[in-house]
């Protein structure tokens, strides 16, 4: 009798262990949700162009937006922004340009990852267009000017007067071999 | 209890001899011995790595080892000491003692018990063989943070599979312990009569089952990120390296209680014996242990205050961390109250236990300092952290285990250990361990980062002193080894009770106990319960 009870309990506890293994993986989407909600990790928001255009512009408040560009690891690109900083009003849709250049002799796929500091401003920093929404493929030696359209929400917490938008370009994982030729063809057409 | 169990016993009485006895054994005492010996061997393996670290840090500049190897040493030292010494060591105590303390004939699942142990040598072969693979051993720290960990060479899958094996072993061990305590108690051994060591292991087992799988998940994500193109932690693919830190420390913080709770249990058995008084506040000790375990799930982010967190998060994790000081304080005060006005004698186990209370408290206080968010920004990743966790793990967990070894070795072997040498071992260890780790507080406050093979010259003096302490502490442990071997091979015959103040079922057995004990369960009453 004890032996059966032991086995039953052991199975239940093993079930808990398996469940906790699943919980570890469940932390991944859970973390996404928390980041979205709190701006943790500098996640920016996305709005449609129509929504952005409909916002009231608060001309009485000025916010400085700074741009920061980085290249990760061995990506053979140069990457800068045309403006270093601009002053905007909350609710005002603004367009800025970034320039990436492939300095190598091969086609490379890059993925830009944005981050906004301070984190508490991140949920109020909304983009309607960004080169980071998709992977960018640059042929050897190709230079590309890329727009970002953004709007700072009118409900940006008071006390935040400077917001930094930072991009880091990574070599897109696993994308080089398959996507690059197709993308080059598209550009040729 | 039945025929199945009885039949099992007849079978075991003709157990194989020689090496097959140890390979095929399902006896809790044999398996306990295997765990303890394995832990002892690993103590010297991990200790040798620590000696390499302290030798390199004896003087500023690079002397003996290259930097990659140095980083492998810090990484492997931690993994070996945590997963190879403290965890198997405390499981060894559990195997030996829990059945004897609760009046059970053996562990609930003896065959699984055999597996849980024999996985360990394979896991550590995988882990240690990495020192010889291309790219060297893992050097990204025991916390295995990406993206650094993802730069590990061929060692990476070895380390991850070793962690998987170690986890499987711990989970099986925990399931066994819980089943034993739930189902195998002798008549009259109610939960509130369980010796505190049994309680601490019951709670630790639940912590293990809840958190080890999360670690297994985290390292599996690392594995698929490196070899199968997933992007859990790879920002380019939409992942986030900080996520790893959250998942890791969700395991990691309960893990530190997994390491220390059984030590609390051991000390709670020893202090009453040599104070000749019952443990003060038994119930509050049980509740405090459970509270610590529960709270440990809500404090993980105090390991990562500096990654950038909303203020509300930093405050929450700071206050939650501070709140653990309350049940821990209850325990410390109960230990002190147990000794208060007791008839104290200072045999080696008692010396180590008292030393544990004092030095663990120092580690606890530096932990509180680290838990203060704004202060942590200065202390983070400095030698202050190193000093803190070595006070709670070396003078905490390891000292408690040493106390436990001296306390129960006469019961296990039937011989008294050499008390004079034991006292020498205690004083050498206690003095040298403080010379070793106390200066590291100063180094950390002055800004010396952890995990570096070389340092700025202003840190030279304290590092020199710390290294000298380290060498003496390391050599002192050879004395420990000698004392254990000497005690196993012979010595003054131990009585059944061994210590005049000892209470509890294990002391009613002969020393050493017969291969099978409590085949007929004892009747437990208030008089025989609690130590």
């Amino acid at each position: 009798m004890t032996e059966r009870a032991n086995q039953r309990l052991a199975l239940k506890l093993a079930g808990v262990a398996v469940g906790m293994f699943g919980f570890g993986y469940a932390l991944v989407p859970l973390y996404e949700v928390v980041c979205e909600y709190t701006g943790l990790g500098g996640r920016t928001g996305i709005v449609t162009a129509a929504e952005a255009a409909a916002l009231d512009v608060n001309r009485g408040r000025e916010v400085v937006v700074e741009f920061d560009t980085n290249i990760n690891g061995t990506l053979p690109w140069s990457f800068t922004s045309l403006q270093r900083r601009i002053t905007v009003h909350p609710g005002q849709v603004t367009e800025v340009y970034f320039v990436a250049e492939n300095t190598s002799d091969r086609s490379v796929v890059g993925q830009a990852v944005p981050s906004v500091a301070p984190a508490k401003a991140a949920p109020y920093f909304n983009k309607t267009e960004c080169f980071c929404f998709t992977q960018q493929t640059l042929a050897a030696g190709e230079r590309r000017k890329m727009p970002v359209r953004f709007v700072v929400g009118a409900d940006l917490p008071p006390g935040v007067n400077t917001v930094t938008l930072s991009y880091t370009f990574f070599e897109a994982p696993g994308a080089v071999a398959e996507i690059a030729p197709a993308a080059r063809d598209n550009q040729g057409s | 209890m039945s025929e199945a169990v009885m039949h099992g016993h007849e079978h075991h009485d003709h157990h194989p001899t020689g090496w097959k006895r140890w390979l095929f054994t399902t006896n809790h005492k044999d398996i306990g011995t295997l765990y303890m010996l394995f832990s002892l061997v690993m103590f010297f393996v991990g200790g040798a790595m620590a000696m390499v670290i302290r030798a390199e840090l004896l003087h500023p500049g690079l002397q003996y080892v290259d930097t990659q190897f140095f980083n492998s040493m810090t990484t492997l030292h931690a993994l070996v000491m945590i997963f190879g010494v403290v965890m198997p060591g405390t499981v060894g105590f559990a195997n030996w003692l829990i059945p004897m303390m609760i009046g059970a004939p053996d562990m609930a699942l003896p065959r699984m018990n055999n597996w849980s142990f024999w996985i360990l040598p394979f896991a550590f072969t995988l882990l240690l063989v990495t020192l010889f693979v291309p790219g060297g051993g893992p050097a990204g720290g025991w916390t295995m943070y990406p993206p650094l960990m993802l730069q590990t060479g061929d060692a990476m899958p070895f380390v991850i599979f070793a962690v998987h094996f170690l986890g499987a072993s711990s989970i099986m061990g925990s399931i066994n312990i819980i089943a034993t305590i739930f189902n195998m108690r002798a008549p009259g051994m109610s939960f509130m009569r369980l010796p505190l060591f049994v309680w601490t292991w019951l709670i630790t087992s639940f912590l293990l089952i809840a958190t080890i799988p999360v670690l297994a998940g985290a390292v599996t994500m690392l594995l698929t990120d490196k070899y199968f193109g997933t992007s859990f932690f790879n920002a380019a693919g939409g992942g986030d390296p900080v996520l790893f830190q959250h998942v890791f420390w969700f395991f990691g913080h309960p893990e530190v209680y997994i390491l220390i709770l059984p030590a609390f249990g051991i000390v709670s058995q020893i202090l009453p014996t040599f104070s000749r008084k019952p443990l003060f506040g038994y119930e509050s000790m049980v509740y405090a242990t459970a509270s610590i375990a529960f709270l440990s799930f809500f404090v993980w982010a105090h390991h990562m205050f500096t990654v950038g967190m909303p203020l509300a998060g930093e405050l929450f994790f700071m206050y939650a961390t501070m709140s653990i000081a309350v049940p821990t304080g209850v325990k410390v005060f109960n230990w002190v109250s147990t000794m208060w006005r007791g008839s104290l004698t200072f045999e080696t186990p008692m010396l180590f236990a008292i030393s544990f209370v004092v030095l663990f408290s120092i580690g606890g206080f530096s932990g509180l300092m680290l838990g203060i968010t704004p202060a942590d920004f200065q202390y983070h990743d400095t030698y202050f952290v190193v000093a803190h966790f070595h006070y709670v793990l070396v003078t905490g967990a390891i000292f408690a285990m040493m106390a436990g070894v001296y306390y129960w070795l006469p019961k296990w072997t039937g011989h008294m250990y050499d008390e004079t040498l034991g006292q020498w071992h205690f004083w050498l260890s206690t003095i040298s361990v403080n010379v070793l780790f106390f200066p590291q507080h100063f180094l950390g406050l002055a800004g010396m980062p952890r995990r570096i093979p070389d340092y700025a010259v202003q840190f030279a003096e304290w590092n020199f002193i710390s290294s000298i302490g380290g060498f003496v502490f390391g050599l002192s442990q050879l004395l420990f080894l000698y004392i254990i071997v000497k005690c196993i091979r012979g010595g003054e015959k131990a009585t059944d009770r061994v210590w005049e103040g000892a209470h509890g079922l294990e002391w009613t057995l002969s020393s050493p106990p017969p291969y099978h004990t409590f085949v007929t369960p004892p009747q437990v009453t208030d008089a025989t319960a609690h130590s």
Side-chain angles (χ1 to χ4, degrees):
Chain A
M1 205 179 76
T2 322
E3 205 155 327
R4 266 234 306 284
N6 287 340
Q7 283 166 4
R8 262 206 312 276
L9 183 58
L11 275 178
K12 277 185 212 161
L13 293 169
V16 174
V18 172
M20 287 310 293
F21 185 77
F23 177 77
Y25 275 85
L27 285 172
V28 177
L30 205 64
Y31 180 70
E32 287 295 313
V33 172
V34 171
C35 287
E36 211 107 304
Y37 181 70
T38 61
L40 195 66
R43 299 293 166 91
T44 56
I46 297 176
V47 293
T48 64
E51 281 168 351
L55 291 174
D56 288 332
V57 179
N58 178 1
R59 302 239 168 247
R61 184 171 174 194
E62 290 189 335
V63 179
V64 176
V65 181
E66 298 178 333
F67 304 101
D68 173 46
T69 57
N70 305 284
I71 294 287
N72 177 266
T74 53
L75 183 74
W77 288 11
S78 69
F79 175 45
T80 54
S81 61
L82 287 189
Q83 299 93 332
R84 276 287 141 208
R85 47 162 49 208
I86 58 171
T87 305
V88 300
H89 300 297
Q92 173 192 2
V93 181
T94 313
E95 190 169 60
V96 291
Y97 286 92
F98 289 75
V99 177
E101 184 176 357
N102 183 349
T103 56
S104 75
D105 53 4
R106 64 185 174 97
S107 172
V108 179
V109 186
Q111 169 69 56
V113 175
S115 172
V116 167
K120 66 176 171 178
Y124 307 96
F125 193 94
N126 299 306
K127 285 171 294 186
T128 63
E129 188 183 329
C130 177
F131 55 88
C132 59
F133 291 169
T134 57
Q135 293 182 344
Q136 302 289 328
T137 306
L138 293 188
E142 185 183 349
R143 181 186 152 92
R144 184 177 298 164
K145 194 169 145 189
M146 303 171 296
V148 170
R149 256 195 299 281
F150 67 90
V151 56
V152 178
D155 44 359
L156 181 73
V160 178
N161 299 316
T162 304
V163 178
T164 306
L165 172 64
S166 172
Y167 284 104
T168 304
F169 249 113
F170 292 84
E171 182 151 4
V176 184
E178 305 109 56
I179 298 174
R184 199 161 44 212
D185 291 347
N186 285 348
Q187 260 149 27
S189 62
Chain B
M1 273 259 354
S2 54
E3 276 179 279
V5 174
M6 298 301 289
H7 179 261
H9 279 285
E10 279 165 31
H11 180 69
H12 287 186
D13 277 334
H14 310 285
H15 57 79
T17 49
W19 62 273
K20 277 190 177 169
R21 166 187 169 180
W22 299 103
L23 193 59
F24 297 132
T25 185
T26 55
N27 179 284
H28 75 99
K29 300 182 185 74
D30 282 354
I31 294 174
T33 304
L34 286 172
Y35 267 114
M36 302 294 299
L37 292 177
F38 183 80
S39 168
L40 190 64
V41 171
M42 283 295 140
F43 185 52
F44 287 96
V45 173
M49 293 174 178
M51 293 302 107
V52 173
I53 294 168
R54 280 323 318 173
E56 182 58 54
L57 294 175
L58 183 65
H59 298 294
L62 294 172
Q63 273 80 225
Y64 307 109
V65 293
D66 73 65
T67 52
Q68 171 77 11
F69 184 76
F70 180 90
N71 289 341
S72 292
M73 284 295 104
T74 57
T75 304
L76 287 172
H77 164 74
L79 289 170
V80 166
M81 287 299 192
I82 292 167
F83 291 100
V85 178
V86 178
M87 291 170 75
T90 53
V91 176
F93 278 104
N95 260 291
W96 252 106
L97 295 171
I98 289 176
M100 297 201 312
M101 283 177 160
I102 65 173
D106 205 309
M107 296 295 278
L109 304 150
R111 208 165 290 277
M112 192 165 83
N113 206 11
N114 174 288
W115 294 348
S116 350
F117 173 76
W118 280 108
I119 286 176
L120 288 178
F122 293 97
F124 276 93
T125 307
L126 276 181
L127 186 66
L128 295 176
V129 83
T130 57
L131 284 171
F132 308 101
V133 303
W142 83 278
T143 52
M144 300 182 273
Y145 283 3
L148 184 59
M149 183 64 182
L150 297 174
Q151 295 172 17
T152 307
D154 292 351
M156 172 110 169
F158 287 83
V159 177
I160 284 171
F161 290 134
V163 170
H164 282 149
F165 278 133
L166 293 168
S169 160
S170 301
I171 289 168
M172 287 198 282
S174 306
I175 290 175
N176 216 339
I177 288 168
I178 293 172
T180 307
I181 299 171
F182 274 26
N183 295 342
M184 309 277 283
R185 281 167 291 130
M189 179 56 85
S190 63
F191 274 98
M192 289 318 263
R193 281 176 178 169
L194 289 177
L196 213 76
F197 176 74
V198 179
W199 257 115
T200 55
W201 247 115
L202 180 62
I203 291 165
T204 302
S205 299
F206 279 107
L207 284 179
L208 278 162
I209 289 176
T211 61
I212 291 282
V214 177
L215 172 69
V219 297
T220 308
M221 291 181 215
L222 281 178
L223 189 75
T224 56
D225 266 15
K226 186 163 167 80
Y227 293 105
F228 301 100
T230 60
S231 292
F232 289 104
F233 312 124
N234 182 354
D240 187 344
V242 176
L243 169 65
F244 177 85
Q245 300 186 21
H246 284 287
V247 182
F248 179 86
W249 286 112
F250 183 85
F251 145 80
H253 199 79
E255 168 71 14
V256 307
Y257 294 103
I258 289 165
L259 299 173
I260 201 67
L261 290 184
F264 287 175
I266 292 170
V267 168
S268 302
Q269 300 298 126
I270 293 172
L271 289 176
T273 298
F274 298 98
S275 305
R276 289 158 186 84
K277 277 175 64 193
L279 183 69
F280 186 88
Y282 170 87
E283 285 86 357
S284 67
M285 284 300 230
V286 173
Y287 296 134
T289 309
S291 310
I292 292 172
F294 177 75
L295 288 171
S296 73
F297 284 100
F298 305 101
V299 299
W300 76 89
H302 69 215
H303 295 271
M304 35 191 295
F305 278 142
T306 58
V307 295
M309 221 188 294
L311 184 63
E314 307 218 309
L315 287 172
F316 171 82
F317 286 109
M318 174 168 84
Y319 292 134
T321 303
M322 298 283 155
S323 72
I324 294 189
V326 177
T328 311
V330 167
K331 295 191 81 83
V332 172
F333 280 108
N334 279 344
W335 287 323
V336 174
S337 307
T338 302
M339 289 186 280
W340 178 253
R341 295 196 161 171
S343 309
L344 273 66
T345 51
F346 300 97
E347 289 87 344
T348 311
M350 183 62 163
L351 288 174
F352 272 106
I354 294 173
S355 181
F356 166 93
V357 174
V358 174
L359 298 176
F360 174 81
S361 296
I362 291 178
F365 282 131
S366 59
L368 275 178
M369 292 170 72
L370 287 160
I372 302 168
T373 311
D376 181 70
F377 275 73
Q378 183 189 346
Y379 308 150
H380 186 88
D381 261 353
T382 66
Y383 257 80
F384 192 80
V385 180
V386 177
H388 157 69
F389 65 69
H390 281 97
Y391 264 89
V392 289
L393 284 176
V394 179
T395 60
I398 298 280
F399 267 35
M401 286 166 66
M402 286 174 176
V405 166
Y406 284 111
Y407 184 56
W408 282 293
L409 204 53
K411 170 55 66 185
W412 296 335
T413 63
H415 307 127
M416 289 307 286
Y417 61 87
D418 188 324
E419 182 63 38
T420 312
L421 289 182
Q423 304 252 345
W424 268 98
H425 174 232
F426 168 77
W427 286 108
L428 282 170
S429 296
T430 299
I431 293 169
S432 63
V433 85
N434 283 292
V435 175
L436 166 57
F437 292 120
F438 213 85
Q440 297 184 1
H441 290 113
F442 311 143
L443 287 168
L445 291 179
M448 178 170 159
R450 62 190 284 209
R451 294 169 173 156
I452 52 165
D454 187 12
Y455 48 80
V457 286
Q458 70 266 33
F459 303 130
E461 284 84 0
W462 287 123
N463 267 303
F464 182 81
I465 291 169
S466 178
S467 284
I468 297 300
F471 299 145
V472 177
F473 184 72
L475 288 174
S476 308
Q477 304 323 310
L478 295 175
L479 184 57
F480 184 48
L481 180 66
Y482 174 74
I483 294 167
I484 292 173
V485 172
K486 190 176 169 203
C487 180
I488 292 172
R489 299 182 64 164
E492 189 195 326
K493 187 90 190 72
T495 60
D496 291 356
R497 190 157 290 279
V498 182
W499 314 106
E500 64 166 30
H503 294 281
L505 286 177
E506 79 266 36
W507 306 109
T508 63
L509 299 165
S510 61
S511 302
Y515 198 59
H516 296 294
T517 44
F518 296 128
V519 179
T520 326
Q523 183 68 42
V524 180
T525 59
D526 257 336
T528 53
H530 285 193
S531 41

